[in-house]
Amino acid sequence: MEKDLSPTLLDFGPLQIYLARHFGFCYGVENAIEIAFKTIEENPGRRIFLLSEMIHNPQVNADLLSHGVKFLQDTYGNHLISFGELKPDDIVLIPAFGTTLEIEKKLNEIGIHTEKYNTTCPFVEKVWNRSEVIAKENYTIIIHGKPKHEETRATFSHASTHSPSVIVRDMQQAKELAKYITGEKPASSFSEEFKDQHSKNFDPEKDLQRIGVVNQTTMLASDTQAIADFLKQTMIGKYDLIDKNIEEHFADTRDTLCYATNDNQSAVIKMLETKADLAIVVGGYNSSNTSHLVELCEEKFPTYFINDEEKIISSNEILHYNFHSKEELPTRAFLPSKEPVKILITSGASCPDALVEGVIRKLVSFFPVTRKTEELIENFK
Ligand code: SF4
């Protein structure tokens, strides 16, 4: 049966909120938070560290910090606390994105065993398994992902133990990679161009003859599809392939997006059919899946990316994040002077629902609404 992806209308009279059918917390994030808090509860007196942000949400991470948990690294892998300060009795939580084999090894050498405190999402592990399967069939692994993102670094680390691997950030990089496949670019410039994005001793002449694509679980579905299609066409052109023998050079696998990314993106695509005035996306500013929801909304509506209701300063001003320029900017008169005002709302996989509720309550406070929020919420219980 086809899923109903139409948004839910919360009709407050002069304000109409269209809430995406799927939004917010995913299984992997809930699981990670649960393990983290259980670890704190069960281990009084022991030092507990997080390898890096548990998830890309400032409120959740602040909550963990307030319980005495400390971060070992920032999101980009820079050390905040040296591994040298760790003792065998310390607990180190592995975040939902997973981690690299190198870091796991370092922790094990100190005497810290991470198995019990590993919150790596099973959907991320699924990508690692897929990479292993592709590698066993002697394909080089192309990872579509953000090169500095924890999850992509972890996937790259796992993939590259099995097979030559290279990360492509976007279509532009995929096009450059294709030039090494076709021979348009000399192999000698590969290392520099894909610096920090390819496995050791990668030989573009030999290692790009047979490829398979996997991706970071939170990329934009259409981007990954376009990149895989483009690389497939490149292989078809280079080796004169037909349907029957395409797998000699291209592993025809489906994308490795997780269910939450798929559901949240599909729900936004459906929600965009609504005739609305603007869209608000709630989530952490460094959250990959949230930024893709913003990207989708921006194609059709003025879109405001905020991390909590405090960013809605007044009915006349909103402070929102521009993820292209990576800065927070104020916009005045963001609410149109008309009735009803129609607003689309969604949130990323690492965003607690309470934040979305806070945003709705703040918006409602600007209008002479006739129906109480509780009354509407009651309808959905
Ligand atoms: S976004 Fe997907 S892969 Fe990431 S933690 Fe959530 S369910 Fe897992």
Side-chain angles (χ1 to χ4, degrees):
M1 273 168 63
E2 209 173 298
K3 277 189 199 166
D4 179 11
L5 291 173
S6 8
T8 304
L9 170 63
L10 299 175
D11 190 353
F12 295 97
L15 170 69
Q16 293 187 343
I17 303 275
Y18 287 85
L19 199 54
R21 175 68 56 166
H22 296 282
F23 65 93
F25 266 13
C26 57
Y27 165 78
V29 164
E30 274 186 13
N31 179 51
I33 295 172
E34 203 181 304
I35 296 177
F37 282 102
K38 204 163 156 235
T39 305
I40 295 170
E41 201 184 299
E42 288 175 355
N43 294 281
R46 274 180 83 182
R47 300 199 308 171
I48 302 176
F49 296 90
L50 266 169
L51 198 49
S52 65
E53 291 194 344
M54 173 100 292
I55 55 167
H56 287 151
N57 184 279
Q59 287 82 1
V60 172
N61 292 314
D63 201 8
L64 286 164
L65 287 179
S66 74
H67 281 80
V69 175
K70 292 193 174 70
F71 287 160
L72 285 177
Q73 301 177 112
D74 67 14
T75 316
Y76 303 105
N78 303 312
H79 282 273
L80 300 172
I81 298 173
S82 149
F83 279 12
E85 291 182 32
L86 294 174
K87 300 189 180 74
D89 190 43
D90 291 335
I91 292 173
V92 176
L93 285 157
I94 307 289
F97 326 103
T99 192
T100 63
L101 291 165
E102 296 77 12
I103 288 180
E104 233 174 70
K105 188 166 169 255
K106 267 190 207 158
L107 294 172
N108 290 342
E109 280 166 3
I110 297 169
I112 295 172
H113 296 285
T114 49
E115 304 81 21
K116 201 170 157 197
Y117 308 105
N118 188 345
T119 78
T120 306
C121 176
F123 294 98
V124 173
E125 282 173 343
K126 204 170 142 191
V127 185
W128 301 348
N129 296 340
R130 174 81 66 86
S131 310
E132 202 177 328
V133 170
I134 297 175
K136 274 191 186 139
E137 292 166 9
N138 295 323
Y139 291 103
T140 287
I141 299 158
I142 314 288
I143 303 161
H144 172 218
K146 297 181 177 172
K148 290 190 173 162
H149 191 283
E150 292 102 318
E151 183 194 316
T152 295
R153 288 204 307 266
T155 296
F156 175 74
S157 158
H158 283 258
S160 56
T161 57
H162 303 295
S163 175
S165 305
V166 58
I167 302 170
V168 293
R169 188 177 43 235
D170 49 22
M171 181 56 104
Q172 204 185 329
Q173 274 207 328
K175 286 185 175 164
E176 296 313 313
L177 184 74
K179 291 180 185 162
Y180 292 98
I181 296 174
T182 57
E184 268 174 85
K185 277 194 163 178
S188 54
S189 56
F190 178 85
S191 252
E192 188 50 33
E193 186 166 0
F194 284 88
K195 193 164 178 251
D196 299 329
Q197 290 177 224
H198 65 80
S199 51
K200 226 172 150 196
N201 302 324
F202 195 99
D203 176 352
E205 281 173 353
K206 178 170 70 67
D207 296 331
L208 290 174
Q209 294 180 9
R210 220 173 129 79
I211 61 170
V213 179
V214 297
N215 57 347
Q216 188 182 318
T217 54
T218 50
M219 299 309 275
L220 196 58
S222 52
D223 281 357
T224 294
Q225 191 56 52
I227 286 172
D229 287 347
F230 171 75
L231 291 174
K232 184 176 172 180
Q233 287 309 319
T234 304
M235 294 313 250
I236 290 175
K238 161 93 181 174
Y239 295 101
D240 215 2
L241 303 171
I242 51 169
D243 276 356
K244 258 191 190 164
N245 62 357
I246 193 150
E247 293 207 348
E248 285 174 17
H249 293 276
F250 189 81
D252 217 358
T253 58
R254 287 194 53 221
D255 66 53
T256 48
L257 297 167
C258 74
Y259 84 96
T261 299
N262 265 320
D263 285 357
N264 286 358
Q265 287 180 11
S266 308
V268 164
I269 290 165
K270 183 72 185 169
M271 181 173 78
L272 293 178
E273 292 172 11
T274 310
K275 284 194 176 60
D277 300 301
L278 61 127
I280 292 180
V281 181
V282 194
Y285 293 162
N286 54 353
S287 158
S288 169
N289 77 85
T290 314
S291 68
H292 293 310
L293 300 179
V294 175
E295 227 175 315
L296 289 171
C297 291
E298 277 178 347
E299 282 175 20
K300 233 176 136 193
F301 296 104
T303 300
Y304 303 100
F305 181 5
I306 58 175
N307 56 16
D308 65 26
E309 81 250 31
E310 300 297 318
K311 299 295 152 109
I312 307 176
I313 312 292
S314 67
S315 59
N316 192 43
E317 188 177 8
I318 189 166
L319 199 56
H320 57 102
Y321 187 65
N322 180 326
F323 77 92
H324 307 282
S325 60
K326 304 209 176 333
E327 55 186 339
E328 215 171 29
L329 301 164
T331 292
R332 289 186 190 280
F334 73 103
L335 292 174
S337 333
K338 66 182 261 284
E339 278 191 13
V341 173
K342 296 183 176 193
I343 303 179
L344 307 180
I345 296 188
T346 188
S347 66
S350 47
C351 176
D353 292 352
L355 290 181
V356 176
E357 195 180 321
V359 167
I360 294 175
R361 284 183 192 278
K362 186 78 171 256
L363 290 167
V364 167
S365 73
F366 301 141
F367 294 84
V369 299
T370 45
R371 296 182 72 185
K372 285 202 169 116
T373 320
E374 284 71 21
E375 194 189 319
L376 280 173
I377 290 170
E378 207 47 46
N379 290 341
F380 294 97
K381 279 189 177 164

Short mmCIF file of all heavy atoms in Angstrom, two decimals, residues 26-29 96 121 123-124 217-218 258-261 349, ligand 1:
data_model
loop_
_atom_site.label_atom_id
_atom_site.label_comp_id
_atom_site.label_asym_id
_atom_site.label_seq_id
_atom_site.Cartn_x
_atom_site.Cartn_y
_atom_site.Cartn_z
N CYS A 26 14.63 9.96 14.48
CA CYS A 26 14.64 8.67 13.80
C CYS A 26 15.03 7.60 14.83
O CYS A 26 15.46 7.92 15.94
CB CYS A 26 15.69 8.70 12.69
SG CYS A 26 17.32 9.09 13.34
N TYR A 27 14.94 6.37 14.42
CA TYR A 27 15.27 5.25 15.31
C TYR A 27 16.71 5.38 15.84
O TYR A 27 16.97 5.23 17.04
CB TYR A 27 15.11 3.90 14.57
CG TYR A 27 15.77 2.79 15.33
CD1 TYR A 27 15.14 2.24 16.43
CD2 TYR A 27 17.05 2.35 14.99
CE1 TYR A 27 15.77 1.26 17.18
CE2 TYR A 27 17.68 1.37 15.73
CZ TYR A 27 17.04 0.84 16.83
OH TYR A 27 17.68 -0.12 17.57
N GLY A 28 17.64 5.65 14.93
CA GLY A 28 19.06 5.66 15.29
C GLY A 28 19.38 6.69 16.36
O GLY A 28 20.16 6.44 17.28
N VAL A 29 18.74 7.86 16.24
CA VAL A 29 19.00 8.94 17.18
C VAL A 29 18.36 8.61 18.53
O VAL A 29 18.99 8.76 19.59
CB VAL A 29 18.47 10.27 16.60
CG1 VAL A 29 18.36 11.33 17.67
CG2 VAL A 29 19.40 10.74 15.48
N ALA A 96 26.02 8.01 17.08
CA ALA A 96 25.16 7.35 16.10
C ALA A 96 25.82 7.25 14.71
O ALA A 96 25.53 6.33 13.95
CB ALA A 96 23.84 8.09 15.99
N CYS A 121 24.37 3.68 14.54
CA CYS A 121 23.04 3.32 14.02
C CYS A 121 23.15 2.09 13.10
O CYS A 121 24.05 2.02 12.26
CB CYS A 121 22.49 4.51 13.24
SG CYS A 121 20.93 4.13 12.47
N PHE A 123 21.56 1.49 10.57
CA PHE A 123 21.46 1.86 9.15
C PHE A 123 22.81 2.35 8.61
O PHE A 123 23.07 2.29 7.42
CB PHE A 123 20.37 2.92 8.94
CG PHE A 123 19.00 2.37 9.24
CD1 PHE A 123 18.40 2.58 10.46
CD2 PHE A 123 18.33 1.59 8.30
CE1 PHE A 123 17.15 2.05 10.74
CE2 PHE A 123 17.09 1.05 8.58
CZ PHE A 123 16.49 1.27 9.80
N VAL A 124 23.66 2.84 9.50
CA VAL A 124 25.01 3.21 9.09
C VAL A 124 25.82 1.92 8.88
O VAL A 124 26.55 1.76 7.90
CB VAL A 124 25.69 4.13 10.14
CG1 VAL A 124 27.15 4.37 9.80
CG2 VAL A 124 24.95 5.45 10.26
N THR A 217 24.11 8.14 4.75
CA THR A 217 22.68 7.82 4.86
C THR A 217 21.76 9.03 4.78
O THR A 217 20.56 8.88 4.64
CB THR A 217 22.41 7.15 6.23
OG1 THR A 217 22.91 8.02 7.23
CG2 THR A 217 23.04 5.79 6.33
N THR A 218 22.33 10.24 4.92
CA THR A 218 21.46 11.42 5.02
C THR A 218 21.60 12.37 3.83
O THR A 218 21.26 13.54 3.95
CB THR A 218 21.79 12.19 6.32
OG1 THR A 218 23.21 12.38 6.36
CG2 THR A 218 21.36 11.43 7.54
N CYS A 258 19.04 6.06 4.59
CA CYS A 258 18.28 5.30 5.59
C CYS A 258 16.79 5.62 5.45
O CYS A 258 16.40 6.58 4.80
CB CYS A 258 18.78 5.64 6.98
SG CYS A 258 18.26 7.25 7.55
N TYR A 259 15.96 4.82 6.12
CA TYR A 259 14.50 4.97 5.99
C TYR A 259 14.05 6.36 6.44
O TYR A 259 13.15 6.97 5.86
CB TYR A 259 13.77 3.88 6.81
CG TYR A 259 13.63 4.29 8.25
CD1 TYR A 259 12.46 4.88 8.70
CD2 TYR A 259 14.70 4.17 9.14
CE1 TYR A 259 12.35 5.33 10.01
CE2 TYR A 259 14.60 4.62 10.43
CZ TYR A 259 13.43 5.19 10.86
OH TYR A 259 13.35 5.66 12.15
N ALA A 260 14.70 6.91 7.50
CA ALA A 260 14.27 8.19 8.05
C ALA A 260 14.54 9.31 7.04
O ALA A 260 13.71 10.20 6.84
CB ALA A 260 14.99 8.47 9.35
N THR A 261 15.70 9.25 6.40
CA THR A 261 16.03 10.25 5.38
C THR A 261 15.01 10.16 4.25
O THR A 261 14.49 11.18 3.80
CB THR A 261 17.46 9.97 4.84
OG1 THR A 261 18.36 10.09 5.92
CG2 THR A 261 17.84 10.94 3.75
N ALA A 349 16.20 14.70 11.49
CA ALA A 349 16.18 13.43 12.23
C ALA A 349 16.80 13.54 13.63
O ALA A 349 16.60 12.68 14.47
CB ALA A 349 16.90 12.35 11.43
S1 SF4 B 1 19.36 9.57 10.18
FE1 SF4 B 1 19.17 7.40 9.56
S2 SF4 B 1 21.27 6.58 9.66
FE2 SF4 B 1 21.26 8.51 10.79
S3 SF4 B 1 20.87 7.90 12.91
FE3 SF4 B 1 18.87 8.32 11.99
S4 SF4 B 1 18.11 6.33 11.23
FE4 SF4 B 1 20.30 6.15 11.61
#
